[in-house]
Amino acid sequence: MHRLSALATLVLLIALFSFGNPAFLSVNNGLTILLQTSVIGLLAIGMTLVIITGGIDLSVGSVLALAGVVAGLAIKAGAPVPLGMALGVAAGAACGAVNGFVITKMRITPFVATLGMMMVARGLALQLTGAAPISRLGNTFGTLGNGSLFRIVEEGANGFPRVVFPGIPYPVILLAVLALGGAYLLNRRSIGRHIYAVGSNEEAARLSGVRVDATKIWAYTASGALAGVAGMVLMSRLVTVQPNEGVMYELDAIAASVIGGASLMGGVGSISGSMIGAFIIGVLRNGLNMAGTSAFIQQIVIGVVVIAAVFIDQMRNRQ
Amino acid sequence: MSPPLVAMHGIEKHFGGVEAVRDVSVALNPGEVVGVLGHNGAGKSCLMRILSGAMAASGGHIEVDGKPVRIDSPQDARAHGIETIYQTLALANHLDAPANLFLGRELKTRWGNLDDRRMLSEARKALHRLNPNFKNLGDPVARLSGGQRQVIAIARAIYFDVKILIMDEPTAALGPSETAMVADLIKTLKAEGIGIFLVSHDMHDVFDLCDRVMVMNKGANVGDHDIRDVTKDDVLSLIVKGTLPEGWAPRRAVA
């Protein structure tokens, strides 16, 4: 129900922006939006898992940067690009596992635990690099972020290459695959069922034999790993590791989940909803950009949208 | 004589300096219904939570079928055939009835996916056995009535291979017809040789359904009697004062 209205909002926004600017509805711009949204989308998958357990993960923006730094340093040290990226994702997962451990075993609230991790991971990323970007990582490092599938180029009449279809960017394919995977785990596997149960009624889940701590640690680890993947995509797009990238990205990811119907009280949410939420934010940014709206006004608009989405949802639930 | 289904020996539970359960021993035989009575805070819920694995005891030990067992978690208790219907029902409000019924023990397909279709059909059977009018199995249980929620909690406890059933105030949220259904169910389970601990405040239920009563007062077991040996006034005296009335003798001997 919520997803339908969110989807309707998305369609409405697209219609509105296309009406205002015909260039908005072009294949190229569509692919640009997909590409721009992929990082937030990846973060939103993990964030949704965590929010459904009744938690929150404020560390994803910093973990994204730290994962990038780990990958960058590994590649600089001579590791092949795929191995370096795998190490980066593993570093993200490790940060998430620490979050899960601190929350379940040390009994620190998710807000505080991940706030701490947000600072620790950012500090580590800056300390390891001396706050300087890591560049000259080679062309292969840029493939994930800049390459695309089914790119069709033909020679034009004038002898110059002409791009018939720019191709589906790899980050978009990655987002689609991971979103489907996340939705599959959440809906078809017992770990997903347990994530909902823990967020809905933790004590009931425990009494029913659900391993509550293991379930939460799983969710935070997944969120960390996805932040790592998002870091790889972002840094690859820049072909440079920026240790100060990803600031405030966690808030976009939370906004995407919440617009998509996830409840911060736990027990409610879906990957498909969060993807729609991520694209609402992406379309808004892109459309407002094309309309020449300033970045500051964009922030105001997105802030209002988040509050409105939650308000409308609450109104409906009260009926 | 065969050993009791379950025997708790010298169970202790301390919270800091507070002794919630003091050296309590109690046994339960196959096909026996034992009423567990006492004031709020007398320790009866604590004792039952220890048996169901929801709480760790500070001391004492538990035997199932004469063999000592460790019950450290609800999973352990279930592995020994101990099922519990909690007073709070312990349901996940956002999940539907089948998901709640199979929570922690989901049915899976060959590939390890959730087998929602089989869980739905099994849940329908189990729920209809208790309440033939049970519909909207796909709704989150938050939207169901108190009686329907209670039925789910009961179905969850008896669907699996139960030997020892703990019922904590099972009729508190129920109307008269549903209460009668629970009473019938207790008799059926009893005939199947299942042992039941019935925690209740309702003296009428206890005298109707139980073979034995066990009364707790300030954490201690102050009386464990065949139901035929006591009257309601005797039990009340145990609950309130912790002792039987003066000059009490087993009522059967007197009669």
Side-chain angles (χ1 to χ4, degrees):
Chain A
M1 191 56 216
H2 186 110
R3 258 175 291 172
L4 270 180
S5 61
L7 194 60
T9 310
L10 183 58
V11 171
L12 192 74
L13 279 175
I14 293 172
L16 216 66
F17 284 127
S18 338
F19 188 70
N21 187 341
F24 179 85
L25 208 59
S26 65
V27 172
N28 267 322
N29 194 47
L31 289 172
T32 304
I33 293 175
L34 285 170
L35 188 62
Q36 284 171 342
T37 311
S38 56
V39 170
I40 298 300
L42 287 166
L43 295 177
I45 297 171
M47 188 65 73
T48 304
L49 299 176
V50 166
I51 286 179
I52 295 173
T53 69
I56 192 128
D57 189 348
L58 298 178
S59 69
V60 291
S62 300
V63 168
L64 169 155
L66 180 60
V69 165
V70 168
L73 291 178
I75 292 164
K76 275 283 173 198
V81 169
L83 176 65
M85 289 192 163
L87 285 173
V89 174
C95 290
V98 171
N99 278 335
F101 181 84
V102 170
I103 289 161
T104 56
K105 305 299 178 191
M106 292 168 64
R107 305 197 169 282
I108 309 287
T109 59
F111 190 96
V112 175
T114 59
L115 183 69
M117 176 57 77
M118 171 178 156
M119 299 181 193
V120 170
R122 179 69 62 190
L124 264 174
L126 291 170
Q127 178 65 34
L128 286 172
T129 56
I134 308 173
S135 52
R136 272 175 287 164
L137 289 159
N139 283 337
T140 16
F141 186 72
T143 309
L144 174 67
N146 299 297
S148 55
L149 199 63
F150 306 129
R151 188 179 170 85
I152 303 167
V153 184
E154 67 179 20
E155 200 172 309
N158 54 4
F160 288 109
R162 195 172 66 90
V163 178
V164 177
F165 180 67
I168 305 164
Y170 287 142
V172 175
I173 297 170
L174 193 61
L175 174 65
V177 168
L178 290 176
L180 286 173
Y184 165 73
L185 286 174
L186 208 44
N187 297 319
R188 303 297 313 143
R189 305 295 294 192
S190 49
I191 180 72
R193 183 68 41 94
H194 292 171
I195 283 176
Y196 279 108
V198 166
S200 178
N201 185 341
E202 183 169 334
E203 179 66 2
R206 191 174 76 86
L207 294 175
S208 304
V210 172
R211 289 160 63 222
V212 172
D213 286 359
T215 304
K216 285 190 186 177
I217 291 174
W218 193 96
Y220 284 95
T221 306
S223 177
L226 282 158
V229 173
M232 294 313 111
V233 169
L234 186 63
M235 306 298 179
S236 171
R237 246 172 79 198
L238 307 169
V239 208
T240 309
V241 168
Q242 296 277 6
N244 46 14
E245 264 297 339
V247 177
M248 304 255 277
Y249 276 30
E250 53 277 344
L251 301 185
D252 275 353
I254 295 168
S257 301
V258 168
I259 292 174
S263 160
L264 292 175
M265 309 293 290
V268 184
S270 68
I271 301 287
S272 54
S274 297
M275 291 305 105
I276 295 169
F279 279 103
I280 287 181
I281 295 177
V283 165
L284 266 175
R285 285 242 165 88
N286 180 280
L288 292 172
N289 263 336
M290 291 183 79
T293 318
S294 83
F296 309 139
I297 301 288
Q298 290 180 27
Q299 278 202 19
I300 297 171
V301 171
I302 292 170
V304 170
V305 167
V306 169
I307 293 174
V310 175
F311 178 71
I312 293 166
D313 194 38
Q314 278 182 1
M315 291 296 286
R316 205 176 26 229
N317 286 341
R318 235 173 272 157
Q319 287 168 6
Chain B
M1 190 184 153
S2 64
L5 266 183
V6 61
M8 303 177 81
H9 298 287
I11 300 294
E12 304 266 348
K13 178 70 193 178
H14 316 286
F15 294 102
V18 182
E19 290 185 310
V21 178
R22 290 182 295 163
D23 190 25
V24 172
S25 301
V26 63
L28 182 67
N29 293 305
E32 188 180 36
V33 183
V34 173
V36 181
L37 290 98
H39 273 307
N40 290 330
K44 57 188 193 314
S45 279
C46 245
L47 185 72
M48 291 300 116
R49 286 173 70 81
I50 288 167
L51 183 59
S52 63
M55 188 186 267
S58 314
H61 64 277
I62 299 172
E63 289 173 6
V64 172
D65 289 330
K67 288 187 272 301
V69 295
R70 285 187 61 88
I71 297 178
D72 294 328
S73 67
Q75 291 97 308
D76 289 348
R78 287 174 158 192
H80 293 298
I82 302 169
E83 294 282 345
T84 310
I85 301 164
Y86 295 95
Q87 191 177 2
T88 57
L89 305 185
L91 298 175
N93 276 332
H94 299 92
L95 300 181
D96 61 13
N100 267 291
L101 212 155
F102 289 99
L103 188 57
R105 310 182 258 204
E106 291 82 6
L107 301 180
K108 292 180 191 148
T109 63
R110 200 151 29 111
W111 311 106
N113 291 332
L114 294 174
D115 194 344
D116 281 320
R117 199 180 316 156
R118 197 151 59 91
M119 283 195 268
L120 177 64
S121 69
E122 289 293 309
R124 183 175 287 129
K125 263 188 265 170
L127 294 170
H128 281 188
R129 185 181 155 196
L130 298 170
N131 176 358
N133 301 318
F134 203 114
K135 290 191 186 72
N136 37 25
L137 268 78
D139 283 1
V141 300
R143 278 200 231 134
L144 303 181
S145 71
Q148 284 180 310
R149 292 161 58 82
Q150 184 84 50
V151 164
I152 297 168
I154 295 172
R156 173 168 66 181
I158 62 173
Y159 174 83
F160 298 92
D161 199 13
V162 57
K163 286 195 298 185
I164 299 143
L165 183 60
I166 302 167
M167 302 174 103
D168 195 351
E169 301 275 356
T171 57
L174 298 185
S177 69
E178 287 159 320
T179 304
M181 179 272 291
V182 171
D184 284 343
L185 176 72
I186 289 175
K187 285 172 192 150
T188 311
L189 294 173
K190 180 178 152 70
E192 289 170 13
I194 291 162
I196 299 174
F197 280 118
L198 178 64
V199 179
S200 181
H201 280 112
D202 189 327
M203 203 67 85
H204 180 75
D205 276 357
V206 170
F207 274 80
D208 248 11
L209 299 168
C210 296
D211 303 299
R212 201 146 55 81
V213 285
M214 185 267 212
V215 182
M216 291 190 70
N217 187 300
K218 295 186 183 123
N221 179 354
V222 292
D224 188 338
H225 300 279
D226 193 298
I227 198 79
R228 291 166 295 187
D229 287 341
V230 284
T231 63
K232 287 179 186 173
D233 287 338
D234 297 340
V235 173
L236 265 177
S237 168
L238 280 168
I239 293 172
V240 177
K241 290 194 295 185
T243 56
L244 285 159
E246 263 177 68
W248 176 86
R251 302 288 168 176
R252 263 185 306 182
V254 175

